[in-house]
Amino acid sequence: MEIIDNTEIQKLLIEFNKSNKNYSHDLCIHQLIEQQATLQPDNIAVVFGEQKLTYRELNARSNQLARYLDQAVGIKQETLIGIYIERSVEMLVGLLGILKAGGAYLPLDPAYPHERLAFMLEDSQVKVLLTQEKLAKTLPDHDGQLICLDIDWERISQESDENLTGKAQPDNLAYVIYTSGSTGKPKGVLIAHRGLCNVAQAQIETFNVSSSSRVLQFASLSFDASISEIVMALCSGAELYLETPSSLLIGQTLLQFLQNQAITHVTLPPTALATLPNEKISTLQAIVVAGEVCSVELAKKWSQGRRLYNAYGPTEYTVCTTINKYIEGDTKLHIGRPIANTQIYLLDADYKPVAIGVVGELYIGGVGLARGYLNRPELTAQKFIPNPFSDESGSRLYKTGDLARYLNDGNIEFIGRIDHQVKLRGFRIELGEITAILKEHSLVEEAVVITSEDIPGDVYLVAYLVLRSQTELTTSDWRLFLKAKLPAYMVPAVFVVLENIPLTPNGKIDRFALPKPNRSQSNIHQNYVPPQTSIEKAIADIWAKVLNVEKVSIYDNFFDLGGNSLLTIPICSQMQEALNLNISVVDLFTYPTVSAFAEYLVKNQEVKQPIFTHDNRASKKTAAIKMQKHHKQQRRNTNGEK
């Protein structure tokens, strides 16, 4: 057992945690935004395409909604209200209106699978949902009252646009965000106004956000990074830029948006930043990378002429816990030091501080700590423990499961995870949740999910399955099963069937003994239909090369083969060069099979389709018959038929 003297204990517990800041902790987050509406009412607050709202207009509309929720709906303090809205001005008005009325918002992503949304609605028991008319019919069955912000706005706009006061207090709930859960079910994290106000003021100060700044809102509302972007902009009087997901596709599309809108501040996962072409963005002043490990090479490249920060923080502590500014010459990009009014402790298994340079588990305390998990008291007690270093009544620490060590200067070096939680392209994923869903399939006896990396930086999910009986289910079939229950980013790219899962001598799964996945053969059991034209062959060859698979059927889906948004950039670039055509990333999302993509090119880009010979016509007829059988089998699998 290591011995730590009193001097080092003082440094670990006190000096490294000197983060006190006299921020406005007696206000709610919407009140900080109301201050900006008073100070600069005619300044632009939010921009969405051609739509622009001033601070006065944004505040007035959200006040009208707040009063409608308060009087017509009768919501009480901390009433949980679902917000099922596409990225839009209405989304922002809805969010602020909920907070002003004293409620807390629960983001429900329209892109989530029906089953996941149904669980969130049942688990949270929301009584009111804000949505849009076109989305209302896609909601799962629920008992909540629906308010459509588009068609119901005429009634809502009859309310007063004056500020509604006294409905919420700093310790009241602001939002609930569901994260991946190791038991197979997501869990809701409870965050209060006080922590949200703290992180807003800390980030405004650290990232130097002002009324002249232009902040991009990049993250989905279902991830806590989104609220960080929103409050960082609106609490400083800056302009917040929203856009449709298709306008924010990583790569050239995102680059053009940053340039055209003269964005000054952006928060991105490193994998998204890595896809941006190395072109000048003269207005960009600060880049915040978060969600996963960022390489020094990437930080060095994008810090030229601007500031680059590495931010770290779990959902269980309001958005951000530590920040580190990259300085040229750094050999590693650490996660930095605690933000204002936050404490970090690196402890051993007995909750004792570990010495500088020694790896320990990272624990977090401070004003931004979540209350815990919605309807999960046992898990809350397990993860949120009494703070042994505080005399304050009720003080707690969050047990992160992350491993880290202190450096001599007080900066923290992130090492990895204790458990099987991973960060993939900025998304937090519990591998156990995917495993639990796979085990729900009637054919699955045992399952385990891991990450793999054939090419540096190209990390993907692999599922190993032990089946109860032989089956003709393909990779596409397994992905189809999971897509009905999990977000797309949690669906493995490769599925490997084993006779049994290797175990260690003490009976635990031996992940190191799992056979290395052969990604090139991940679609070997698909109904292969060869390319029928030179265009299809060119597309299929490029996909096979970039995706590292042996062969690509014309009916294979790019994303089912392991493709993701990051790989769309090299794919489109190579197709454009090979075919000498103008190809965008949006096209690939719209037409994700070789057949559909080729047909789109022929119809829309005046490409001449090669004429079939007699043999080719026979091949095409055979392909059509195979495809009919393929679709028929897929329908059977989807419906659970034998």
Side-chain angles (χ1 to χ4, degrees):
M1 182 177 177
E2 61 191 275
I3 303 298
I4 308 177
D5 61 31
N6 289 334
T7 301
E8 188 166 350
I9 286 288
Q10 175 79 9
K11 183 177 290 188
L12 291 167
L13 300 183
I14 308 298
E15 291 182 27
F16 287 173
N17 279 313
K18 282 184 177 177
S19 63
N20 290 347
K21 288 275 187 177
N22 189 25
Y23 288 153
S24 302
H25 287 145
D26 58 341
L27 297 175
C28 294
I29 195 68
H30 56 273
Q31 293 173 314
L32 293 180
I33 299 171
E34 289 170 357
Q35 289 179 349
Q36 296 302 322
T38 301
L39 291 170
Q40 43 190 9
D42 297 321
N43 283 16
I44 298 298
V46 57
V47 179
F48 178 73
E50 299 300 317
Q51 286 182 281
K52 293 182 179 180
L53 289 184
T54 64
Y55 273 87
R56 178 190 284 112
E57 291 168 332
L58 176 62
N59 194 51
R61 290 194 191 184
S62 53
N63 282 336
Q64 289 173 322
L65 176 59
R67 290 181 178 276
Y68 182 81
L69 292 172
D70 177 48
Q71 297 174 21
V73 180
I75 70 167
K76 305 297 183 184
Q77 210 170 59
E78 297 200 351
T79 297
L80 196 55
I81 300 177
I83 182 163
Y84 185 69
I85 296 177
E86 293 178 337
R87 192 187 297 255
S88 60
V89 169
E90 287 80 13
M91 178 189 83
L92 204 56
V93 170
L95 188 153
L96 290 177
I98 292 170
L99 297 177
K100 284 171 174 279
Y105 76 89
L106 167 66
L108 298 161
D109 193 334
Y112 273 1
H114 190 271
E115 187 170 322
R116 192 177 185 87
L117 290 171
F119 171 81
M120 293 165 67
L121 287 169
E122 182 180 357
D123 186 61
S124 62
Q125 291 294 297
V126 294
K127 300 303 181 186
V128 181
L129 287 102
L130 303 186
T131 187
Q132 296 155 311
E133 183 183 22
K134 64 179 179 180
L135 291 178
K137 59 187 176 184
T138 66
L139 273 166
D141 292 337
H142 61 90
D143 295 327
Q145 177 183 348
L146 273 186
I147 299 174
C148 294
L149 294 187
D150 42 12
I151 61 174
D152 291 333
W153 189 257
E154 186 175 348
R155 282 184 296 163
I156 297 169
S157 63
Q158 303 304 310
E159 300 288 344
S160 167
D161 61 4
E162 295 297 316
N163 289 338
L164 185 62
T165 60
K167 298 301 295 184
Q169 301 300 321
D171 287 325
N172 285 149
L173 204 60
Y175 65 81
V176 174
I177 282 184
Y178 276 80
T179 68
S180 182
S182 59
T183 61
K185 299 295 184 184
K187 51 188 184 290
V189 180
L190 306 163
I191 298 291
H193 281 266
R194 194 182 299 277
L196 198 49
C197 287
N198 186 75
V199 76
Q201 294 171 95
Q203 291 192 333
I204 288 169
E205 181 179 2
T206 303
F207 304 146
N208 193 25
V209 186
S210 69
S211 58
S212 62
S213 300
R214 295 181 166 207
V215 180
L216 174 63
Q217 203 281 287
F218 179 82
S220 163
L221 195 62
S222 289
F223 297 96
D224 59 353
S226 63
I227 191 61
S228 167
E229 296 163 333
I230 291 169
V231 299
M232 180 170 63
L234 299 183
C235 292
S236 64
E239 293 181 13
L240 180 69
Y241 280 75
L242 307 176
E243 253 307 339
T244 60
S246 62
S247 297
L248 297 179
L249 289 171
I250 53 182
Q252 189 67 41
T253 307
L254 176 57
L255 176 72
Q256 289 176 352
F257 184 87
L258 297 175
Q259 292 173 330
N260 295 341
Q261 303 297 342
I263 298 299
T264 62
H265 292 72
V266 64
T267 301
L268 296 171
T271 44
L273 182 63
T275 67
L276 286 180
N278 191 15
E279 297 181 24
K280 188 174 182 181
I281 312 176
S282 57
T283 61
L284 195 55
Q285 300 171 8
I287 298 174
V288 183
V289 290
E292 58 192 350
V293 176
C294 180
S295 69
V296 173
E297 292 75 21
L298 190 64
K300 182 178 181 181
K301 172 184 173 182
W302 283 100
S303 63
Q304 301 301 311
R306 63 183 63 88
R307 292 165 281 121
L308 185 140
Y309 301 90
N310 187 33
Y312 160 86
T315 305
E316 288 82 354
Y317 192 89
T318 316
V319 187
C320 182
T321 305
T322 66
I323 297 173
N324 178 44
K325 181 182 177 183
Y326 171 77
I327 299 174
E328 190 168 0
D330 285 350
T331 57
K332 270 193 173 181
L333 194 61
H334 306 302
I335 62 173
R337 305 185 70 153
I339 68 166
N341 305 305
T342 301
Q343 296 82 48
I344 298 290
Y345 303 100
L346 303 183
L347 310 178
D348 62 18
D350 297 318
Y351 305 115
K352 304 295 183 183
V354 297
I356 293 172
V358 175
V359 175
E361 184 174 358
L362 194 152
Y363 289 74
I364 309 171
V367 69
L369 196 65
R371 286 187 189 173
Y373 300 111
L374 180 65
N375 301 327
R376 305 284 291 277
E378 291 183 0
L379 184 61
T380 297
Q382 176 186 338
K383 292 292 187 178
F384 294 83
I385 66 169
N387 185 350
F389 311 109
S390 174
D391 296 328
E392 182 182 344
S393 176
S395 178
R396 299 172 304 149
L397 298 178
Y398 171 61
K399 177 183 172 69
T400 68
D402 288 335
L403 297 174
R405 62 184 167 205
Y406 266 121
L407 305 178
N408 287 323
D409 61 359
N411 274 297
I412 300 167
E413 180 183 359
F414 179 83
I415 303 299
R417 289 288 302 173
I418 290 176
D419 54 24
H420 304 304
Q421 183 189 111
V422 299
K423 285 288 187 77
L424 189 60
R425 296 187 288 280
F427 298 111
R428 168 174 159 178
I429 300 172
E430 289 278 4
L431 299 180
E433 181 175 359
I434 309 173
T435 300
I437 296 297
L438 281 169
K439 288 181 179 179
E440 291 179 5
H441 196 287
S442 60
L443 288 174
V444 176
E445 179 75 36
E446 187 58 81
V448 61
V449 179
I450 66 169
T451 58
S452 189
E453 186 176 16
D454 303 328
I455 303 169
D458 180 19
V459 182
Y460 59 95
L461 296 172
V462 183
Y464 293 87
L465 306 173
V466 176
L467 303 180
R468 291 189 170 91
S469 61
Q470 290 187 341
T471 177
E472 294 183 359
L473 291 183
T474 66
T475 294
S476 290
D477 295 326
W478 289 115
R479 288 176 61 83
L480 190 65
F481 169 74
L482 289 178
K483 279 181 179 179
K485 300 169 180 289
L486 296 171
Y489 64 84
M490 295 181 69
V491 178
V494 178
F495 293 80
V496 180
V497 176
L498 302 175
E499 290 188 7
N500 52 68
I501 300 292
L503 303 176
T504 62
N506 62 0
K508 294 184 178 181
I509 294 173
D510 188 350
R511 283 170 167 77
F512 296 103
L514 290 166
K516 186 170 179 59
N518 187 346
R519 200 173 182 182
S520 67
Q521 295 181 356
S522 64
N523 66 324
I524 195 168
H525 298 300
Q526 310 267 4
N527 293 311
Y528 176 70
V529 181
Q532 308 299 308
T533 69
S534 59
I535 295 175
E536 289 181 347
K537 187 176 188 310
I539 295 171
D541 288 347
I542 292 169
W543 289 17
K545 179 182 176 183
V546 175
L547 297 173
N548 191 27
V549 296
E550 185 178 0
K551 56 187 179 181
V552 175
S553 167
I554 62 172
Y555 297 113
D556 281 340
N557 186 296
F558 171 77
F559 300 98
D560 285 349
L561 294 176
N564 56 57
S565 54
L566 301 180
L567 293 177
T568 58
I569 308 302
I571 284 275
C572 289
S573 176
Q574 291 188 36
M575 287 194 296
Q576 186 163 300
E577 183 178 347
L579 298 172
N580 194 27
L581 297 171
N582 183 26
I583 295 173
S584 77
V585 171
V586 179
D587 297 335
L588 188 54
F589 278 87
T590 308
Y591 307 99
T593 68
V594 172
S595 174
F597 203 94
E599 184 178 353
Y600 160 75
L601 294 178
V602 170
K603 286 183 177 179
N604 294 275
Q605 303 221 24
E606 298 183 356
V607 181
K608 289 187 177 180
Q609 188 75 273
I611 299 174
F612 280 97
T613 65
H614 175 75
D615 290 341
N616 280 339
R617 284 196 297 270
S619 296
K620 192 173 185 182
K621 183 177 180 181
T622 302
I625 293 172
K626 287 184 177 181
M627 196 57 205
Q628 287 176 357
K629 292 181 178 179
H630 175 68
H631 285 318
K632 187 175 181 181
Q633 182 62 44
Q634 278 201 324
R635 286 194 297 270
R636 286 177 176 171
N637 294 332
T638 304
N639 295 328
E641 299 174 13
K642 297 295 183 183

